[in-house]
């Protein structure tokens, strides 16, 4: 009897857990062929160790991977630009080194006073709203957007415009033409900002990159445009989703929230556990096999697409005991919520700063914060970032 190849992506039965189909494959066939939306095939990788191999080995490439994106809209949109995320060493190393010094632990720590001010002002405004209010739209997005706008040098008054286009690009089943147009709009917008900073430099990342990299010819203008676009949309959207979804997790695990409130030294480890537990990146970490190799007993051919699923890795019982439980006392630092290997998230220290700062004060400032609807009625989004779409709360 002919067995039908499963069609990727798999839906999540529970928004904070990887699809049951992935969990089953991890136990029965951890590297398994799937069929893409366009009829093509790729391998889906489900075990923690194998996923780290795919993301960390020179046998697998980030170049020419768009065709393995599981959505026509994202694949179409991404073809409109090229950034260092689609390069391999040494090209990737060259580009990343030019950016890394702006995202070191020391440089990010210098942002702390600004981030804390942004958070305090956002909570003040939120606390004055009529109740119930949507914590995602009215608190998480303003914090993430203001922080990224300050860091990069994007006018905050443009936030609704670029947030809308970033969302179009992320929705899994968006119209391909709309996603492609949203990408073009963002690239043209960033290009105009770069032109302005070349004429009138300011104390922001766009100005620094333009004058340090573009003027001396170390980057071309399209390369800089794609890089700034990536930093803008990835930086605000992921953090906003994480703030909203993490708040939902805290409110549905009040006993662990109380422990952190009583002992703030638990907060950094709790943030790492939140990153592991939520596993909001659904599908987009893809690679292409450069060489013939073997992975989990499967023969991989050159050119094969590899889908390395972070959610599956972060809920692998071989890497994390009782992985489906939220436990702030576990050591979750080896999660791959920010990826693994040379391509792991450049802005992860900014995200950690924002999350630690938000949850260091949110429940002090709003001690009676609670869900305004039953937890099972909270709406989760249908995009590549699996997180709460809205979070009605009272306080």
């Amino acid at each position: 009897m002919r067995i039908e190849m499963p069609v990727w992506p798999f839906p999540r039965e529970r928004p904070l857990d990887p699809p049951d189909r992935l969990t089953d494959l991890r136990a029965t066939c951890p590297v398994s062929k799937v069929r893409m939306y366009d009829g093509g095939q790729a391998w889906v990788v489900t075990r923690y160790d194998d996923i780290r191999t795919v993301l960390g080995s020179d046998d697998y490439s980030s170049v020419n991977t768009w065709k393995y994106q599981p959505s026509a809209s994202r694949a179409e949109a991404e073809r409109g630009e090229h950034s260092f995320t689609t390069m391999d060493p040494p090209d990737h190393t060259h580009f990343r080194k030019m950016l890394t010094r702006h995202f070191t632990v020391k440089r990010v720590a210098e942002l702390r006073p600004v981030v804390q001010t942004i958070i305090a002002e956002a909570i003040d405004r939120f606390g004055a709203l009529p109740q119930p209010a949507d914590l995602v739209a009215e608190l998480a997005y303003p914090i993430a957007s203001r922080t990224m706008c300050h860091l990069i040098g994007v006018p905050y008054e443009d936030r609704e415009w670029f947030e809308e286009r970033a969302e179009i690009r992320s929705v899994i089943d968006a119209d391909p033409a709309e996603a492609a147009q949203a990408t073009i709009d963002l690239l043209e917008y960033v290009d105009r900002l770069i032109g302005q900073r070349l004429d009138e430099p300011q104390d922001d990342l766009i100005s620094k990159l333009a004058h340090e990299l573009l003027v001396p010819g170390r980057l071309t203008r399209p390369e800089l445009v794609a890089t700034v676009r990536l930093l803008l949309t990835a930086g605000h959207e992921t953090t906003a989703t994480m703030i909203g979804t993490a708040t939902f997790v805290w409110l549905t695990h009040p006993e662990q929230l109380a422990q952190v409130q009583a002992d703030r030294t638990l907060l950094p480890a709790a943030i790492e556990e939140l990153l592991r537990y939520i596993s909001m990146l659904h599908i987009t970490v893809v690679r292409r096999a450069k060489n013939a190799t073997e992975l989990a007993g499967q023969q991989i051919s050159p050119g094969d697409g590899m889908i390395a699923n972070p959610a599956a890795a972060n809920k692998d019982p071989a890497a994390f005991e009782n992985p489906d439980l939220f436990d702030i006392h576990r050591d979750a630092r080896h999660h791959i919520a920010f990826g693994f290997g040379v391509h792991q998230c450049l802005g992860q220290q900014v995200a950690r700063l924002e999350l630690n700062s938000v949850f260091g004060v949110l429940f002090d400032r709003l001690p009676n914060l609670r869900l305004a609807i039953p937890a099972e009625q909270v709406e989760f989004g249908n995009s590549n970032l699996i997180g709460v779409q809205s979070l009605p709360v009272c306080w």
Side-chain angles (χ1 to χ4, degrees):
M1 183 177 65
R2 183 171 177 265
I3 299 176
E4 284 293 325
M5 187 179 298
V7 177
W8 181 261
F10 306 145
R12 291 193 184 194
E13 292 80 10
R14 297 165 302 282
L16 297 181
D17 292 320
D20 290 343
R21 187 68 177 271
L22 280 183
T23 302
D24 293 341
L25 287 176
R26 186 198 298 125
T28 60
C29 186
V31 177
S32 181
K33 275 284 184 74
V34 293
R35 189 174 302 282
M36 310 299 290
Y37 68 95
D38 60 356
Q41 298 179 13
W43 297 98
V44 63
V45 187
T46 57
R47 292 195 306 202
Y48 178 86
D49 287 343
D50 295 331
I51 289 172
R52 282 168 56 109
T53 295
V54 170
L55 299 183
S57 170
D58 290 339
D59 286 329
Y60 303 95
S61 173
S62 294
V63 179
N64 296 327
T65 53
W66 302 133
K67 63 182 177 180
Y68 300 116
Q69 295 283 357
S71 160
S73 62
R74 288 193 62 82
E76 183 65 28
E78 300 289 7
R79 287 192 190 102
E81 62 175 307
H82 300 283
S83 72
F84 66 98
T85 61
T86 61
M87 300 176 184
D88 291 335
D91 293 336
H92 173 269
T93 307
H94 171 70
F95 276 81
R96 190 175 177 105
K97 281 182 67 176
M98 291 188 288
L99 299 170
T100 299
R101 74 183 193 89
H102 297 287
F103 292 92
T104 62
V105 174
K106 180 180 179 181
R107 182 64 62 90
V108 170
E110 295 171 357
L111 289 172
R112 186 179 301 277
V114 173
V115 171
Q116 290 175 335
T117 297
I118 288 172
I119 290 169
E121 292 176 353
I123 294 176
D124 284 345
R125 286 193 296 270
F126 184 74
L129 292 174
Q131 301 182 47
D134 179 6
L135 185 137
V136 174
E138 303 293 347
L139 186 65
Y141 266 97
I143 289 172
S145 293
R146 281 193 67 192
T147 299
M148 198 52 55
C149 287
H150 171 82
L151 173 63
I152 295 177
V154 174
Y156 183 59
E157 56 267 25
D158 295 343
R159 67 192 182 279
E160 292 184 3
W161 183 88
F162 68 71
E163 285 173 0
E164 178 182 293
R165 279 148 185 82
E167 183 176 1
I168 291 171
R169 296 176 78 257
S170 291
V171 174
I172 294 173
D173 55 0
D175 179 83
E178 291 183 3
Q181 186 59 53
T183 299
I184 293 170
D185 291 345
L186 287 165
L187 294 173
E188 291 177 347
Y189 172 74
V190 169
D191 186 68
R192 289 194 298 272
L193 289 178
I194 291 171
Q196 293 169 9
R197 297 304 189 276
L198 287 170
D199 294 334
E200 299 179 11
Q202 299 181 19
D203 185 20
D204 56 41
L205 189 58
I206 292 179
S207 298
K208 292 172 184 176
L209 295 179
H211 288 271
E212 292 174 7
L213 304 179
L214 181 58
V215 172
R218 300 172 66 192
L219 276 183
T220 67
R221 188 148 173 166
E223 288 168 343
L224 181 58
V225 168
T227 298
V228 173
R229 196 289 305 162
L230 175 68
L231 295 174
L232 173 62
T233 56
H236 91 271
E237 191 178 14
T238 54
T239 305
T241 301
M242 189 66 196
I243 290 172
T245 310
T247 302
F248 172 79
V249 173
W250 283 127
L251 294 177
T252 52
H253 294 81
E255 70 292 343
Q256 297 196 61
L257 173 60
Q259 292 176 41
V260 172
Q261 289 295 96
D263 182 359
R264 293 308 173 85
T265 65
L266 297 174
L267 183 58
I271 296 299
E272 299 304 315
E273 171 65 354
L274 283 164
L275 289 163
R276 180 205 71 85
Y277 178 75
I278 291 172
S279 295
M280 64 180 178
L281 258 187
H282 185 35
I283 50 179
T284 60
V285 183
V286 293
R287 296 290 186 268
R288 179 179 53 82
K290 293 162 59 177
N291 309 303
T293 185
E294 182 180 311
L295 188 66
Q298 299 285 11
Q299 298 301 313
I300 309 298
S301 300
D304 282 359
M306 312 297 296
I307 302 170
N309 191 276
N314 287 336
K315 295 293 178 73
D316 186 346
F320 302 96
E321 186 177 358
N322 297 320
D324 295 331
L325 297 180
F326 177 62
D327 181 4
I328 62 172
H329 298 289
R330 84 164 77 239
D331 183 358
R333 289 175 296 177
H334 55 295
H335 67 75
I336 62 167
F338 292 115
F340 181 75
V342 297
H343 281 283
Q344 61 182 291
C345 177
L346 183 67
Q348 60 183 283
Q349 297 306 330
V350 179
R352 285 189 171 97
L353 170 61
E354 291 182 72
L355 293 171
N356 276 279
S357 298
V358 167
F359 295 118
V361 299
L362 177 61
F363 295 103
D364 288 338
R365 300 282 296 276
L366 300 174
N368 296 317
L369 190 69
R370 61 195 184 279
L371 294 177
I373 59 176
E376 59 271 17
Q377 294 180 16
V378 171
E379 181 183 357
F380 282 74
N382 177 33
S383 77
N384 184 49
L385 297 177
I386 302 296
V388 293
Q389 188 78 11
S390 63
L391 192 67
V393 294
C394 297
W395 54 93

